Amino acid sequence: MKRNPAHSPTAGHSYPKDLVAFVFERWQDRAFVARICPEAKPGGFTLPARGIFEQVISTCYQASLLREEERPVMFRLIIRDSYLFAAHEGPPTGMHRLIFSRTRPFNEYELHRLAPAADFYRTLIGICIDPAHGAQIWGLLHSGTRWMHAVYGGRKTSPPLPQSLVVYVTGPGQISVCAGDEIIASLNGGQINCPTIDVFNSRWFGKSLAALNEETFALHRSACRRAERPWAELDPDFGSNIGQQALRRIISVIRNSNHGGLLVYLPPEMAEEIMQENQYLTVKYQFLEFDSRQRFLSLTLRIMNTLAESYGSAEHPERKVGWHEYVTSKNESIALLDEAIFDVAHFIAALSAVDGAVVITKRQELLGFGGVISGDLDSVGMVSHALDTEGEKCEPVLSEGVGTRHRAAYRICQKLHQAIAVVISQDETVQIVRWHNGSVTYWDQVPTGVPGF
């Protein structure tokens, strides 16, 4: 969901005010508030006074335009009184509160001075609202880095941010406003965005991984029957969760590389055809058909087996385990396998630096990279822009004006209706493309974490 600000970029604080207005407007939607902030009820979490909130966002906006030794100013801040944080906690499982001996004035110059010490990925600047003086800086809140796993993918859990307003400044004029861990709206490139779509949570995306999940689950069942002692029962969706997190990691690494990339996922039965001369695409750097090409599949199966085995018990044979047990497990073997599967994700992301597509089957078999989609495929003049997760609401959009990667993705999805393309632009935007309801359709994939970093 996007909204163009009503004022020009030269209109001073008009952009921050538009962002504040948008947040307050969203706060009138009870269903939206109930979803992102269950505690937003009488006596619970509420927005600060509008004038104070405008002061906070305007000051953050001005600070974002400053430079720190030629580097952009980046920081996170939380609007919450210091006494509401426990005094004896800290990362990786809690928040480490450090209170200044006296409050500091809340202005862009103080934020500019504090930003280098308040490392964006590890620390938040704590502010409180003083009835007489408005916003004041009370100290620092050390969070650690686990919060980034929601964006990058990963199994490590982080302490949830409390139900308070959190503001992220990720670059000049780039501001995101969150309620705890949930994004309300962001200002980036002169547009106000409200992230409402996470394709990975859609039913159709889950179905696209169904073949992989069924295959690995069948292999897991076979291993379970051969085991010498009882294994715990595994959540049938667990394998899909691993694949989803790995793809999040691949996309995040490419986004942060600033070179963009194209991933093309094809039906498994097309692997042999694609590796030969064909009408669809040419894979310049092909991998031989050895087990190493299927490392993701083998690692997923090993994780499934290890998790079920580690939680197995003759006393509780009915025990069922899944993603929660995986992310909270202290088992060293699981930790090593988790590291291994995300090393594969980083490797795949690195392959995208070479011109062309990284070509993978939907069973996560890595066929090769440097894939050139045939220019003989029919061009696509009109595509559909999905406005919801399932693509039930779409709007027609002319494909002109997009880059080479996007046009290639549209062509391959028009020709191969079972293909899925992931296009990551140099400006870090992400599109998921597939054939849907009779036309090439794309989703703007909004990260579950804060966009723009």
Side-chain angles (χ1 to χ4, degrees), residues 91-94 143-150 153-160 181 323-330 338:
T93 58
S143 67
T145 60
R146 283 192 176 186
W147 66 276
M148 293 188 293
H149 283 253
R155 73 181 188 93
K156 293 180 180 178
T157 55
S158 63
D181 294 311
W323 189 255
H324 174 73
E325 288 73 20
Y326 177 60
V327 299
T328 57
S329 174
K330 306 298 183 183
D338 177 70

Side-chain angles (χ1 to χ4, degrees), residues 193-213:
N193 305 279
C194 180
T196 57
I197 295 179
D198 185 359
V199 175
F200 297 121
N201 291 330
S202 66
R203 292 189 299 273
W204 70 260
F205 186 83
K207 289 180 181 178
S208 71
L209 295 177
L212 171 66
N213 198 35

Side-chain angles (χ1 to χ4, degrees), residues 173-358:
Q174 297 178 3
I175 302 173
S176 297
V177 178
C178 303
D181 294 311
E182 299 290 337
I183 302 176
I184 303 174
S186 62
L187 173 63
N188 195 344
Q191 286 189 324
I192 295 174
N193 305 279
C194 180
T196 57
I197 295 179
D198 185 359
V199 175
F200 297 121
N201 291 330
S202 66
R203 292 189 299 273
W204 70 260
F205 186 83
K207 289 180 181 178
S208 71
L209 295 177
L212 171 66
N213 198 35
E214 291 172 4
E215 180 180 357
T216 53
F217 206 76
L219 293 170
H220 166 72
R221 286 288 193 189
S222 178
C224 187
R225 288 192 293 268
R226 297 192 304 269
E228 296 180 356
R229 64 183 185 86
W231 285 7
E233 183 181 353
L234 200 62
D235 182 348
D237 293 327
F238 178 67
S240 293
N241 291 336
I242 295 176
Q244 180 190 119
Q245 290 298 317
L247 182 53
R248 287 186 190 275
R249 176 65 62 90
I250 294 169
I251 292 173
S252 295
V253 173
I254 297 174
R255 286 181 71 239
N256 290 332
S257 69
N258 297 317
H259 59 61
L262 173 60
L263 310 173
V264 174
Y265 286 85
L266 300 174
E269 61 270 17
M270 289 193 65
E272 184 176 348
E273 179 182 2
I274 290 300
M275 302 300 274
Q276 301 173 4
E277 186 174 346
N278 63 85
Q279 60 178 312
Y280 309 113
L281 61 86
T282 301
V283 183
K284 184 175 183 180
Y285 300 100
Q286 300 182 8
F287 295 121
L288 293 175
E289 190 177 4
F290 293 127
D291 289 343
S292 58
R293 211 167 76 175
Q294 305 182 55
R295 180 164 172 75
F296 183 89
L297 177 64
S298 63
L299 284 172
T300 301
L301 179 60
R302 288 170 61 188
I303 289 174
M304 295 169 70
N305 291 346
T306 304
L307 183 69
E309 182 181 16
S310 65
Y311 281 94
S313 169
E315 292 77 20
H316 303 284
E318 75 288 350
R319 182 171 189 178
K320 192 171 185 177
V321 297
W323 189 255
H324 174 73
E325 288 73 20
Y326 177 60
V327 299
T328 57
S329 174
K330 306 298 183 183
N331 186 290
E332 184 177 351
S333 296
I334 289 178
L336 290 173
L337 288 167
D338 177 70
E339 184 178 350
I341 206 163
F342 285 113
D343 276 339
V344 173
H346 277 263
F347 173 70
I348 293 173
L351 299 180
S352 70
V354 173
D355 288 342
V358 179

Side-chain angles (χ1 to χ4, degrees), residues 17-249:
K17 288 184 178 179
D18 284 336
L19 179 59
V20 170
F22 187 74
V23 171
F24 270 80
E25 179 183 321
R26 293 295 283 161
W27 213 252
Q28 302 305 310
D29 184 342
R30 293 183 178 181
F32 173 79
V33 174
R35 179 177 64 81
I36 71 165
C37 186
E39 296 180 23
K41 56 182 180 292
F45 170 53
T46 59
L47 295 178
R50 188 163 185 150
I52 293 293
F53 192 31
E54 285 186 358
Q55 176 207 357
V56 171
I57 299 302
S58 294
T59 301
C60 290
Y61 183 83
Q62 294 304 311
S64 77
L65 303 179
L66 303 176
R67 306 285 291 182
E68 172 61 35
E69 294 182 354
E70 299 309 312
R71 296 187 300 270
V73 173
M74 296 174 59
F75 58 86
R76 297 183 291 153
L77 65 81
I78 184 167
I79 306 175
R80 187 177 177 86
D81 289 327
S82 60
Y83 68 85
L84 294 175
F85 295 98
H88 304 292
E89 293 184 356
T93 58
M95 301 285 184
H96 181 196
R97 180 195 70 182
L98 291 161
I99 305 174
F100 294 151
S101 58
R102 61 183 179 87
T103 58
R104 306 293 304 178
F106 182 74
N107 56 55
E108 59 266 37
Y109 305 109
E110 196 71 22
L111 291 174
H112 177 256
R113 283 189 288 267
L114 279 174
D119 180 270
F120 178 86
Y121 299 99
R122 297 179 181 274
T123 305
L124 297 97
I125 298 171
I127 70 172
C128 59
I129 307 301
D130 184 281
H133 303 97
Q136 299 284 301
I137 299 173
W138 57 255
L140 302 177
L141 189 68
H142 184 45
S143 67
T145 60
R146 283 192 176 186
W147 66 276
M148 293 188 293
H149 283 253
V151 183
Y152 293 161
R155 73 181 188 93
K156 293 180 180 178
T157 55
S158 63
L161 286 171
Q163 292 291 312
S164 302
L165 279 183
V166 181
V167 181
Y168 295 71
V169 172
T170 54
Q174 297 178 3
I175 302 173
S176 297
V177 178
C178 303
D181 294 311
E182 299 290 337
I183 302 176
I184 303 174
S186 62
L187 173 63
N188 195 344
Q191 286 189 324
I192 295 174
N193 305 279
C194 180
T196 57
I197 295 179
D198 185 359
V199 175
F200 297 121
N201 291 330
S202 66
R203 292 189 299 273
W204 70 260
F205 186 83
K207 289 180 181 178
S208 71
L209 295 177
L212 171 66
N213 198 35
E214 291 172 4
E215 180 180 357
T216 53
F217 206 76
L219 293 170
H220 166 72
R221 286 288 193 189
S222 178
C224 187
R225 288 192 293 268
R226 297 192 304 269
E228 296 180 356
R229 64 183 185 86
W231 285 7
E233 183 181 353
L234 200 62
D235 182 348
D237 293 327
F238 178 67
S240 293
N241 291 336
I242 295 176
Q244 180 190 119
Q245 290 298 317
L247 182 53
R248 287 186 190 275
R249 176 65 62 90

